[in-house]
Amino acid sequence: MTLKVGIPKSLLYFYYYPGWKKFFAELGVETVESSSSNKAIVNKGVKLAIDEACFPVKMCHGHVLDLCDKVDYLFLPRIVSVENNEYVCPKLMGLPDMIRSNIDNLPQLLTPTINRNQSWLSLLKANLELGAKFTDNKLKILKAHWKANQAFKKYHKDLTKSIKSQDRLVIALLGHSYLLNDQYINLGIIDKLKNLGVEVITPQNLTSQQIKQGANKLSKDLFWTFNKRIIGAAYYLFDRQEIDGIIQLAAFGCGPDALIGELIERRAKRRDDIHFMSLNLDEHSGEAGLLTRLEAFVDMIKWEVKGA
Amino acid sequence: MKGYLGIDVGSVSTNLVLLNDNYQVLEKLYLRTQGRPIDTIQIGLKKLGEKIGDIQIKGVGTTGSARNLAGVIVGADVIKNEITAHAVAASNVVPGVRTVLEIGGQDSKIIILREGVVVDFAMNTVCAAGTGSFLDQQASRLSIPIEEFGELALQANSPVRIAGRCSVFAESDMIHKQQLGHCTEDIIAGLCEALVRNYLNNVGQGKEILEPILFQGGVAANKGIKAAFSEELDAKINVPKHHNVMGALGSAILAKEEMRQKKKTSFKGFDVSEFSYNVSSFECDSCPNSCEIINIYQDEELVARWGFKCPKWEAV
């Protein structure tokens, strides 16, 4: 019988999943993903998680519960740092502990620690340790490590695109990958914008060079990797004439999101031709408020282009 | 006579405005929604129909949080969000307006205009402190009719400091102050100041508030809030004549503009009040999303359905 490893479809899954899945596949381990976010998962997650956590972290609890009795192992990497001198959010670092203390009867957790700040070989070391649970063949693990890296890079390369539209409005939608790619959390915002006739661009559509170029314009370095990418995307786009507006998606209660939202807004104010709006996402599922803001935002830009 | 109808169905009030070809308000109605938007729309139409007699409706617009529901019931030519509707109305009433402060029943917004064009706006996020519903609630707790609330605030000698960050905190703070023996006027004035501070911190954060300033929405009737805005911003606050129906007014203007391109209105007529509307809802159990689907029937006929996330229930 092949062993099954469960991967919650939440948080950094949305950034790393092709690499994660490839790694296990190369080792001959079957992976099972939780269902896409839905009401049942939300209800369970909100009940289990601490109140202070952001909504995506609460949802992650629901995703874990969704997998519990379907798998032998649960994959919850402890991602501390992926870039030198930078960190990810503390709630994500502590995620395995949070899950362990909030949920009973868990399958065995796989929580490799990835801390780039301790060693540039941290990822390789973590993978060797993780792989050793499933095979004694070091070469096989090394190959899986390499293949996973390739799959991850290909995924991000395939997402990049340039803005084509000449006649449609272009809006940059900025936010964490787990907000942008989870239709339940974001209330289907990308489709809603498309229905309003807008072309949407997200940080994932930019190359890492472009994002780095933007992030270099920060007057002081940011040490939250994923937020630095979001603001890097914004600053890169500010230097060009391609977008008409920026909508920031922020998780309610997320400190780094609030900080970069403010920084982006200040910069947007200097540009007459780029409008800015920040939207807070949380537990509410009523779409009317979101739609009102989106419609008004698009109206505002169109009105200006049309000249009233 | 010809006219354009604007209907704004909000959380607290449902407003109707009848506009003539020269953008003059012929008739207006301000009704409490009382949690029953469909009944209220029907009552509103009936009342308006009786009042105006022989006027041909050339176009209808709906806005507000129940704009889609209202649109289905009356047969709207244009369904627009309330931010756009308020901005249109404001720049029609005061052409050079640069800031619109709007406080309604459950939401508050700020709209920044420059040279007749909206350049920025914001709506309250997860917090409803400082909107009409909270004032209503506090007025009834103190057994003061909401109409006299603002007037009382103006009679205060030394307003007390009330925490405005959150309506729960504000209420407990008010009770503390009241138990210490502060007079009602001072507490109410303090509350008005707190709400204005909260509005400017939350909705007005980072916005360039320039004159002329229009203050509209149901809460604009509250003189205490108006005075607090004037004091805090050190500016003249204008409350337009039709402040409580500005959304409906804007929506009537939008209907008029829409009818330049459209030939015939979709308005179902004032008889709509004769139909019986029924709503049924059920929870779809096809997937774990458990969508709450809502069906809207006009007499026996299904006229609208929403609440779904997938196309399964799309066809009406």
Side-chain angles (χ1 to χ4, degrees):
Chain A
M1 203 184 89
T2 51
L3 290 168
K4 283 184 193 160
V5 171
I7 308 181
K9 222 171 172 179
S10 85
L11 298 169
L12 294 182
Y13 162 92
F14 291 106
Y15 197 78
Y16 289 115
Y17 77 91
W20 292 355
K21 281 165 74 173
K22 189 76 188 167
F23 182 76
F24 288 113
E26 285 294 312
L27 296 178
V29 177
E30 192 186 333
T31 49
V32 180
E33 293 173 11
S34 56
S35 322
S36 296
S37 297
N38 58 50
K39 202 157 144 190
I41 286 182
V42 172
N43 287 344
K44 286 181 209 156
V46 169
K47 211 189 269 175
L48 285 167
I50 52 160
D51 190 44
E52 284 80 8
C54 65
F55 190 49
V57 165
K58 288 181 184 171
M59 298 265 284
C60 184
H61 287 65
H63 282 278
V64 167
L65 215 62
D66 188 55
L67 285 169
C68 267
D69 39 9
K70 295 178 194 157
V71 296
D72 307 292
Y73 292 97
L74 200 65
F75 182 59
L76 277 178
R78 184 189 301 282
I79 302 176
V80 177
S81 156
V82 291
E83 298 279 350
N84 212 12
N85 290 326
E86 291 178 12
Y87 289 94
V88 305
C89 156
K91 285 187 183 114
L92 299 189
M93 292 181 202
L95 188 68
D97 306 311
M98 222 190 296
I99 296 287
R100 206 175 270 143
S101 71
N102 289 337
I103 303 177
D104 297 327
N105 304 321
L106 285 169
Q108 197 186 337
L109 296 190
L110 302 171
T111 62
T113 300
I114 290 114
N115 188 345
R116 174 70 175 76
N117 280 333
Q118 268 176 1
S119 151
W120 65 277
L121 287 172
S122 168
L123 179 62
L124 178 64
K125 265 171 66 187
N127 279 345
L128 283 172
E129 264 172 53
L130 177 63
K133 281 202 180 286
F134 303 99
T135 172
D136 295 331
N137 186 342
K138 278 229 162 76
L139 208 65
K140 200 171 167 187
I141 305 175
L142 278 174
K143 194 176 148 215
H145 169 77
W146 185 79
K147 285 244 178 167
N149 239 324
Q150 295 301 108
F152 168 74
K153 281 185 185 148
K154 181 174 183 311
Y155 164 65
H156 282 279
K157 194 168 166 241
D158 289 348
L159 281 175
T160 56
K161 64 165 192 182
S162 49
I163 298 162
K164 296 182 258 342
S165 181
Q166 295 296 318
D167 47 348
R168 285 194 304 164
L169 295 182
V170 182
I171 290 179
L173 189 63
L174 306 181
H176 285 288
S177 57
Y178 46 83
L179 299 178
L180 293 172
N181 294 302
D182 192 324
Q183 285 209 29
Y184 192 92
I185 299 190
N186 68 34
L187 303 170
I189 188 172
I190 295 179
D191 286 340
K192 287 192 167 64
L193 281 169
K194 283 183 183 160
N195 289 341
L196 291 170
V198 169
E199 179 173 346
V200 178
I201 182 161
T202 72
Q204 292 181 328
N205 300 137
L206 300 179
T207 66
S208 38
Q209 265 65 42
Q210 290 171 328
I211 286 180
K212 208 170 270 171
Q213 201 181 317
N216 283 340
K217 298 209 160 61
L218 278 165
S219 58
K220 190 169 172 256
D221 210 11
L222 265 190
F223 50 80
W224 293 290
T225 299
F226 293 101
N227 285 93
K228 188 171 160 185
R229 286 189 187 150
I230 298 169
I231 198 169
Y235 278 25
Y236 172 78
L237 292 167
F238 275 133
D239 273 350
R240 314 175 66 83
Q241 308 292 331
E242 294 167 333
I243 55 165
D244 303 293
I246 292 177
I247 297 178
Q248 185 210 11
L249 285 183
F252 180 63
C254 177
D257 274 358
L259 176 81
I260 62 161
E262 179 72 30
L263 291 173
I264 296 170
E265 181 166 16
R266 284 186 192 182
R267 194 107 174 188
K269 284 236 165 74
R270 293 189 221 151
R271 283 283 293 268
D272 287 339
D273 54 339
I274 299 181
H275 293 277
F276 175 82
M277 171 168 77
S278 178
L279 295 172
N280 263 296
L281 298 175
D282 202 56
E283 212 181 309
H284 34 271
S285 57
E287 299 185 356
L290 178 77
L291 207 54
T292 296
R293 287 165 176 84
L294 293 182
E295 283 178 15
F297 192 71
V298 171
D299 274 353
M300 168 168 78
I301 299 172
K302 282 188 182 158
W303 202 358
E304 196 170 75
V305 174
K306 214 168 61 177
Chain B
M1 276 266 277
K2 293 185 300 187
Y4 298 89
L5 184 61
I7 304 175
D8 177 359
V9 186
S11 58
V12 169
S13 72
T14 294
N15 314 318
L16 291 88
V17 161
L18 187 70
L19 204 67
N20 71 7
D21 261 325
N22 303 319
Y23 297 99
Q24 279 163 325
V25 176
L26 296 176
E27 203 61 68
K28 66 171 181 174
L29 271 184
Y30 178 93
L31 305 163
R32 292 251 161 185
T33 309
Q34 289 177 320
R36 287 188 294 274
I38 297 178
D39 295 353
T40 316
I41 295 165
Q42 289 186 289
I43 293 169
L45 276 179
K46 188 158 183 248
K47 278 194 180 167
L48 194 70
E50 284 165 1
K51 260 186 166 177
I52 56 173
D54 200 22
I55 284 188
Q56 187 200 352
I57 300 296
K58 297 279 284 177
V60 184
T62 59
T63 186
S65 43
R67 58 185 177 277
N68 289 314
L69 180 68
V72 167
I73 291 180
V74 302
D77 298 302
V78 57
I79 300 176
K80 268 280 175 201
N81 65 82
E82 52 270 33
I83 296 169
T84 305
H86 273 282
V88 165
S91 56
N92 183 268
V93 174
V94 178
V97 62
R98 293 202 283 179
T99 307
V100 178
L101 315 170
E102 199 273 343
I103 305 186
Q106 292 242 316
D107 60 35
S108 50
K109 29 191 157 334
I110 188 166
I111 306 169
I112 306 292
L113 296 105
R114 296 290 180 264
E115 283 144 33
V117 171
V118 178
V119 294
D120 201 1
F121 70 87
M123 247 171 122
N124 56 337
T125 48
V126 282
C127 174
T131 56
S133 306
F134 178 57
L135 287 173
D136 263 357
Q137 185 195 327
Q138 290 312 314
S140 77
R141 194 178 64 82
L142 297 166
S143 313
I144 297 167
I146 186 71
E147 295 77 15
E148 293 167 21
F149 207 76
E151 203 67 60
L152 273 178
L154 295 184
Q155 289 163 20
N157 291 320
S158 56
V160 294
R161 170 104 191 173
I162 305 277
R165 158 78 43 229
C166 154
S167 59
V168 180
F169 293 168
E171 177 162 341
S172 66
D173 218 13
M174 279 170 73
I175 294 172
H176 281 307
K177 297 281 153 84
Q178 148 202 325
Q179 310 300 54
L180 284 174
H182 288 281
C183 70
T184 314
E185 287 84 353
D186 286 350
I187 293 175
I188 293 178
L191 178 66
C192 291
E193 285 175 5
L195 296 188
V196 164
R197 259 198 322 271
N198 183 39
Y199 173 94
L200 293 174
N201 263 327
N202 179 351
V203 187
Q205 184 67 260
K207 304 274 179 275
E208 200 186 9
I209 299 174
L210 298 177
E211 292 184 87
I213 302 170
L214 268 187
F215 179 24
Q216 55 199 45
V219 176
N222 188 316
K223 288 180 184 151
I225 302 268
K226 183 189 169 195
F229 264 126
S230 180
E231 165 108 18
E232 190 72 32
L233 293 170
D234 192 19
K236 187 173 182 292
I237 307 292
N238 304 290
V239 175
K241 188 177 162 202
H242 304 297
H243 66 86
N244 57 350
V245 295
M246 289 295 269
L249 175 57
S251 146
I253 296 171
L254 286 165
K256 183 168 150 54
E257 278 170 17
E258 178 74 20
M259 295 319 289
R260 280 191 206 147
Q261 292 145 31
K262 211 175 147 182
K263 279 215 173 88
K264 197 174 169 298
T265 177
S266 319
F267 184 49
K268 292 184 185 169
F270 288 99
D271 305 342
V272 161
S273 50
E274 307 295 322
F275 289 122
S276 86
Y277 283 91
N278 284 307
V279 177
S280 74
S281 66
F282 64 95
E283 212 176 75
C284 169
D285 53 10
S286 302
C287 88
N289 271 329
S290 319
C291 290
E292 292 150 15
I293 318 278
I294 295 148
N295 288 319
I296 297 172
Y297 297 92
Q298 177 180 316
D299 289 333
E300 300 295 301
E301 185 197 352
L302 178 66
V303 287
R305 177 191 281 151
W306 46 67
F308 45 81
K309 289 196 194 310
C310 79
K312 183 173 175 185
W313 300 103
E314 225 160 52
V316 167

